[in-house]
Amino acid sequence: MARPTQADRALVLCLYARRHPRHGVLLFNRGLYAEQAVAARAAFPAAREVAFVVGFDKAEQIFDPRYYDDRDAALRDLFARVTVLVAPRGGQGAADLAALLARPENRLYRASARALPFDPDYAADSATAVRELARAGRDVAALVPPETAAFLAAARPYDPPRRLPDGRLSDSYGERMARVETIDDRR
């Protein structure tokens, strides 16, 4: 079982979006970004702009012809509906994005893919770093939104099982998920 589950990740995103009325949550588990853009526009028809936030590694994949039967048609569909905001990743940032968009085959889409302004002080922050710190029992509140910090403190998905005085192992998150499954089974 993934920790936290996809359902819990969606819950935390929804709690965050509730506090930020200009934001929304739409979940996908398959499909090309071009297909997801169609669904995003349909889900948020009144939105002035719909933006997909991706890391630089994902931006490279978006422009990679291996993923498409007709790359240019898919990219035209994508960029007609959404803006792609690209966060630095793995030491690659705005200059690398500019170089990717300067390639002849990508120039048409330059106005629809933009680098996120990003303070280099946060370049090492990542979900992986948060998970590692949480597994080590460290406080991650300064690295995540309040909704995430509250969820991690309450649900404890990264805590290792602990030995109880009677010798049994206790897994707080595993026990929580077992209770959730019991509720689901009653339906």
Side-chain angles (χ1 to χ4, degrees):
M1 164 180 53
R3 288 174 178 243
T5 64
Q6 294 295 334
D8 279 337
R9 292 171 192 222
L11 168 68
V12 173
L13 284 170
C14 289
L15 292 171
Y16 177 87
R18 183 182 297 159
R19 191 168 55 92
H20 296 87
R22 292 184 51 227
H23 293 77
V25 175
L26 190 58
L27 304 172
F28 298 99
N29 67 355
R30 61 180 48 92
L32 295 172
Y33 279 111
E35 297 163 332
Q36 294 173 8
V38 171
R41 270 290 169 200
F44 302 107
R48 186 175 40 115
E49 178 181 35
V50 174
F52 288 177
V53 179
V54 301
F56 183 81
D57 54 334
K58 192 55 73 175
E60 287 180 306
Q61 289 177 1
I62 288 171
F63 289 99
D64 189 330
R66 291 180 298 163
Y67 295 100
Y68 306 97
D69 291 330
D70 185 343
R71 173 191 179 267
D72 289 328
L75 292 180
R76 278 192 305 273
D77 285 348
L78 172 67
F79 291 119
R81 291 176 173 85
V82 301
T83 300
V84 173
L85 303 176
V86 182
R89 184 103 175 159
Q92 295 176 300
D96 300 288
L97 178 62
L100 178 66
L101 294 171
R103 293 180 191 165
E105 68 274 19
N106 299 335
R107 286 184 188 147
L108 180 63
Y109 312 109
R110 283 188 288 201
S112 297
R114 299 190 308 263
L116 275 173
F118 207 79
D119 186 328
D121 289 344
Y122 299 107
D125 292 353
S126 68
T128 300
V130 168
R131 284 189 299 270
E132 289 171 0
L133 289 168
R135 282 187 188 108
R138 306 266 310 275
D139 182 23
V140 297
L143 299 173
V144 298
E147 296 81 4
T148 304
F151 172 80
L152 293 175
R156 315 213 57 84
Y158 300 116
D159 284 8
R162 58 183 170 32
R163 182 96 31 215
L164 297 174
D166 66 5
R168 291 181 296 126
L169 282 179
S170 174
D171 174 4
S172 298
Y173 191 73
E175 292 163 13
R176 175 183 184 279
M177 293 316 304
R179 288 190 302 276
V180 168
E181 286 179 27
T182 305
I183 293 167
D184 191 46
D185 289 343
R186 293 181 200 161
R187 289 183 186 188

